[in-house]
């Protein structure tokens, strides 16, 4: 698959660039916001496109054209205000759904957050963030895209183990970002994850097997 | 109709309390956030219930039980942060859709905002507010409720004229809050507004006639 990766400069995004680039099955088009990020990627031989989730949807449509799948690994991050949460994590995400549909891309994998689907479990401190992720996921489920929504637990920077737990309802846990990236990539072509949403933690099953039984 | 009015202490809400209370067709149950607001309403003989849009949906279900319609005239207001925009204008609104469905209330009238449906027209300065209103409206349209979404232009405090323009796409204009309240009330039983969304400005047609031709 030729994959448009949105949020290629993020922490999970960087793992995904590497994994997709090394993969024999996929090619990656890395979407980033800043010229210098694009230049850096191009130096490594990566196809990079400039587009801003706060900008017009047209640039994203153009970026998605010719791709077979979109991965959303972007986020406004913890250091910006809730204006950016609304503009990027919610409206920016929905723009990419619309862009994928307009560009004729059917497959879409969203990196969401553990408990984004359960209002009762939202931590008081970052409740507004969950609101944005929740409704972005809802809009994706209502779209015509062939989506997969992955909801990882606490994100770690340690190296991945390749062993996960993936299921509709898991207990709170954590997982290395590298394993999130691998799971997202392997989901692209795993039909059992089509039109599905699931929690993701470290576990003791190989990614391929876990996704077959999600 | 017995109407649950959400945001009864707001500027449009106060007009609606008066209008519904004086009407021969309707009775009003005013939902407010603060004890003193409820007391003040009760002193005037108005049925008032306490519930917080940031709280659990259960209290709202209880408030809606026995009602025939819900009007949403609440808002986080211009003086709070965008955390409240996410929690009240978006998630709080969606809680009331869920509550109406759970309580068996079918009719729902939403006070939205002019251009909430047109991303390209969102003013830079309050874009995040539009995002919240946009997705609240989208979720209402996706719900099973018999909704009407009213999108008034610039809100004025001058007395109403009873003359409006109501249509799916109007040019920017303004309208007294009193006329918004009257239009919302008259929409409740006007079948031509069922499952419809429209812009609302001051105009030269009576409210009843404008709603028949929306």
């Amino acid at each position: 698959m030729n994959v448009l990766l949105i949020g290629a400069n993020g922490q999970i995004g960087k793992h995904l660039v590497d994994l997709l680039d090394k993969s024999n099955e996929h090619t990656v088009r890395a979407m980033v916001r800043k010229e210098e990020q694009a230049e850096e990627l191009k130096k490594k031989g990566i196809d990079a496109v400039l587009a801003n989730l706060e900008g017009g949807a047209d640039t994203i449509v153009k970026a998605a054209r010719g791709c077979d799948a979109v991965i959303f690994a972007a986020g406004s991050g913890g250091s910006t205000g809730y204006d950016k949460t609304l503009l990027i994590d919610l409206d920016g995400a929905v723009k990419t759904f619309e862009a994928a549909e307009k560009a004729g891309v059917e497959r879409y994998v969203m990196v969401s957050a553990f408990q984004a689907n359960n209002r009762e479990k939202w931590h008081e401190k970052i409740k507004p963030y969950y609101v944005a992720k929740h409704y972005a996921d809802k809009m994706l489920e209502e779209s015509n895209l062939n989506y997969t929504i992955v909801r990882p637990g606490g994100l770690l920077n340690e190296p991945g183990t390749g062993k996960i737990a993936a299921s509709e309802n898991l207990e709170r846990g954590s997982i290395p970002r590298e394993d999130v990236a691998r799971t997202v990539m392997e989901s692209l072509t795993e039909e059992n994850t089509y039109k599905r949403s699931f929690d993701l933690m470290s576990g003791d099953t190989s990614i391929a097997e876990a996704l077959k039984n999600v």
Side-chain angles (χ1 to χ4, degrees), chain A:
Chain A
M1 283 184 166
N2 190 16
V3 181
L4 177 67
L5 172 61
I6 296 171
N9 198 55
Q11 295 191 73
I12 292 171
K14 282 176 176 170
H15 284 293
L16 272 163
V17 170
D18 281 352
L19 290 166
L20 290 164
D21 187 45
K22 282 178 195 148
S23 130
N24 297 319
E25 264 187 293
H26 306 293
T27 54
V28 61
R29 181 178 296 168
M31 187 174 124
V32 290
R33 195 164 44 100
K34 294 180 184 164
E35 186 64 49
E36 61 260 35
Q37 295 164 348
E39 289 308 318
E40 207 178 305
L41 286 158
K42 283 176 187 166
K43 271 185 207 155
K44 294 180 191 161
I46 310 281
D47 178 14
V49 288
L50 269 184
N52 191 330
L53 292 172
E54 289 188 62
D58 289 357
T59 334
I60 311 170
V61 176
K62 236 170 106 180
R65 213 153 260 158
C67 289
D68 307 297
V70 170
I71 293 173
F72 190 94
S76 60
S79 58
T80 57
Y82 284 124
D83 53 338
K84 297 296 181 190
T85 308
L86 278 151
L87 296 171
I88 293 170
D89 301 290
L90 176 52
D91 194 46
V94 176
K95 277 181 201 169
T96 70
F97 311 158
E98 293 165 4
E101 289 192 4
K102 273 189 199 159
V105 182
E106 282 175 22
R107 185 76 180 114
Y108 196 106
V109 184
M110 164 60 81
V111 180
S112 182
F114 181 58
Q115 301 298 20
N117 52 327
N118 290 324
R119 184 190 285 139
E120 314 77 53
K121 300 289 181 71
W122 294 347
H123 270 277
E124 201 56 47
K125 269 172 71 178
I126 52 164
K127 235 184 201 179
Y129 170 73
Y130 281 115
V131 174
K133 293 300 280 179
H134 178 74
Y135 291 103
D137 291 356
K138 284 267 188 191
M139 294 299 295
L140 180 53
E141 287 166 353
E142 300 282 353
S143 77
N144 293 315
L145 297 165
N146 178 11
Y147 65 84
T148 299
I149 298 171
V150 180
R151 297 184 298 250
L155 299 168
L156 308 173
N157 280 330
E158 56 195 51
T161 64
K163 302 281 191 176
I164 63 163
S167 170
E168 279 182 22
N169 281 296
L170 291 175
E171 292 294 305
R172 178 168 295 279
S174 61
I175 181 165
R177 287 183 167 87
E178 192 183 344
D179 282 336
V180 175
R182 279 187 203 170
T183 306
V184 164
M185 183 175 75
E186 294 201 24
S187 295
L188 284 169
T189 51
E190 174 49 74
E191 292 190 14
N192 188 47
T193 69
Y194 291 6
K195 299 258 177 189
R196 298 282 295 279
S197 307
F198 56 86
D199 296 341
L200 175 66
M201 306 291 166
S202 284
D204 36 42
T205 313
S206 75
I207 292 170
E209 205 185 313
L211 291 181
K212 273 192 177 57
N213 297 291
V214 84

